[in-house]
Amino acid sequence: MFVQTVDTLLVVGLGLIGGSFAAAVKSAGVCRQVYGYDQDRGSLEEAEALGIIDHGCQNLAEGVAVADVIMLAVPMLAMRPVLEQLAECSLDGSLNSKVITDAGSSKRTLLDAALEVFGEVPDYLVPGHPIAGSEESGVAAAKADLFEAHDVILTPLENTRLPAIEKVKMLWEACGAVVTNMDLYHHDEVLAKTSHLPHVLAFSLVDTLAGNPDNHDIFRFAAGGFRDFTRIAGSDPVMWHDVALGNSQAVLAALDEFTDGLEVLRKAIIEKDSQSLLGIFGRARSARQHFSSLLESRKQRVKALPESLVSREGLSGSVLCSCPGQFEEKETKEEVMESMKESTQMFIASPGGSISGEFRVPGDKSISHRSIMLGALAEGETVIEGFLEGEDALATLKAFRDMGVQIDGPYQGRVTIQGVGMHGLKQPEGPLYLGNAGTAMRLMAGLMSAQSFDVTLTGDHSLSGRPMNRVVDPLAQMGARIETLDGGRPPLKIKGGSHLKGIEYQLPMASAQVQSCLLLAGMYAEGETVTVAPGIVRDHTNRMLSGFGYPVAVTGDNGCRVAVEGGGKLEATRIDVPADVSSAAFFMVAASIAEGSEVRLSHVGMNPTRSGVVEILQLMGADITLENESLVGGEPVADIVVRSAQLKGIDIPERLVPIAIDEFPVLFVAAACAQGRTLLTGARELRVKESDRIQAMADGLISLGIDAQPLPDGMMINGSGVATKPVFKGGTIDSHGDHRIAMAFAVAALRAKDDIRILDCANVATSFPDFAGLATRAGMRIVVKGKCE
């Protein structure tokens, strides 16, 4: 529970925002009493009648005298007169013991007004801005839940008192908001583009069409797109008048930038330039999908626990948000996980059924990541077919766009990249957000270490808890300068201008991500960079570097020694991304364990460093055959035909572990359905994936009635499967935000006695968009609940 640290709150301005803030704080019980003041006596009386405030003040001085915290929720151009009244109320200096904050959308206006009134910005003033609202206005529209799961941006200055910031932050968190700090001027620039510009455009469009002689038919037959886009034109005109004038400089800059883009679009239409139009629309669609993934991540933080407001000490085990010059906002991992369980996407997988049909699963994620990276650094135009339009790969695409690379698409799996060459990347305006993409972060750490500019790589809660030392340490040996949080966790702050030197590095485990990271850095390093692996490592990077014309030397047993010489260049090429064998694995196991099943999975990548799952299943007795085998773009592909069969337990050969490392969650499900014991060892890497996959899978299997024993580097499962009988009890499974665990337990439902409810499934979209839809069409029974709209 939140502790009452505010005796009396005074809200000045009882419109939608002020009224909602008063109602939310009052509902949360974090203030002993909530006072209100508004020049409109009717609004004041209505707020009292609705129970939004405890007491309505007849004048401002009455409220200021008793308040600990004063919230200014008035139009931006009314801010200076209100501050002048506050100054008059404080001739005895009593304001110094209070905290003042505001809810205005232009912080420069507040800053200028404070300087004019007080001669300086008081250290008890905490500028703030809630990113929430409604087309309705007035105190009657106030809602106590208006700010739940919405951002609130605080823009304190260097002299702002820390206790004042903490007090305001506590009040907003009590309202259910997610609080972030931001530079005051940067706030105005960002909001001009993301909030003020869309409102101005909506007002202008509706006003223009309203003046059209055919306005009756225009509005009568307006479709959903028009209604969605223009909804915000129903907002308070006075407020937006003040915003447009109060933040005029940033709004005009945003309008100019938009006008330039509109002119490019206009020219493309006039010239019937299909390529440019598809490029504009494709980039916009991809960016919108990336934005949607950010919204889904925010959904995971709904109802963050009050205890997330902790002291400035004790950083270990926390997720940090850097707030330069101020304080660090912390939320413990346990709180994050709890909030995710409460609010994120859930699968309900019903028991029974069989699967059948012929279909192609999405493109290979590993190849999709690498094709964007190398295509961006190549000279010329690279065309990618079959690109995985999942959130992880889209995050990589977005990151390189942010570094100045023109990338058109994806459009039906087709992406076109205008490469900028090895030294053509530009410094991004802010951190590169990689979502849940651990592959992207580890590989890009190598590339970014060699650039001339500083860059920060960041990700979602899951990625922020995963160790990066296994790439950071060898990169440091090469001369890279990278800062991390405790335990080597992201964000990675990479300093530019480092002079890298080639090294010979003995990989402590067979990791394609570590090897690829060092090879990519090695392209920029002085001399030769060599990696030596203790076992088989996925060779997508080696193959693709060769495909782009960069020399790679592969020697040793099973190609364990890989070397590149720095100073080369990449030549653009065409890439055909095969279907991802890791995604196909879920349907291989599903068809194997569900009686009467038969599926054909087409054009699946059968790279020998990735296809261990097929051999493991065949050793277990699965009926799997390969057809139409061929070589496409240097990668072997085939159609995989799977028919149901009785599986048997085996000791999984350790030589197959590194080439099936991502498929073990669903292989554990296969083992539970097999007759006899299955033993996996040598797979310690599973403990540092998106989750601790050994423990998470063991916990889930045990809860569903399976005899499973987690080991330090694997698992022992005693299967009791008879092909015609259910194996799993029903129950609720925590996927821990791990896409492969979520999909694995969805497959398990084929042999369950009752529904399996799988929590925290939003990240399935990172690797397998529309998994539930494709699985349902194949014959599984999955219902998705809580999907972010």
Side-chain angles (χ1 to χ4, degrees), residues 115-172:
L115 287 171
E116 291 175 7
V117 172
F118 297 105
E120 62 179 1
V121 179
D123 59 7
Y124 50 79
L125 176 62
V126 183
H129 178 209
I131 313 299
S134 167
E135 61 269 28
E136 299 176 342
S137 58
V139 70
K143 300 176 182 178
D145 62 354
L146 182 67
F147 308 110
E148 286 187 5
H150 283 72
D151 283 298
V152 169
I153 301 174
L154 302 184
T155 62
L157 303 180
E158 290 185 1
N159 71 320
T160 310
R161 298 175 190 166
L162 182 59
I165 300 170
E166 294 283 6
K167 188 167 289 189
V168 173
K169 179 173 181 283
M170 182 276 297
L171 289 173
W172 279 119

Side-chain angles (χ1 to χ4, degrees), residues 319 333 365 369 392 434-442 459-472 484-492 513 662 685-693 736-739 763 766:
V319 179
K333 292 178 184 176
K365 186 168 71 163
H369 278 305
D392 277 10
L434 300 175
N436 192 245
T439 298
M441 180 167 286
R442 292 189 176 105
D460 66 9
H461 287 304
S462 173
L463 185 55
S464 296
R466 288 151 67 182
M468 295 292 152
N469 280 338
R470 56 180 176 159
V471 295
V472 171
T484 70
L485 297 182
D486 292 345
R489 294 178 295 109
L492 305 185
Q513 292 182 1
D662 283 339
E685 186 180 352
L686 288 173
R687 291 197 177 273
V688 291
K689 288 288 188 176
E690 283 84 336
S691 66
D692 180 343
R693 285 180 175 164
H736 298 276
D738 190 319
H739 53 132
N763 280 334
T766 62

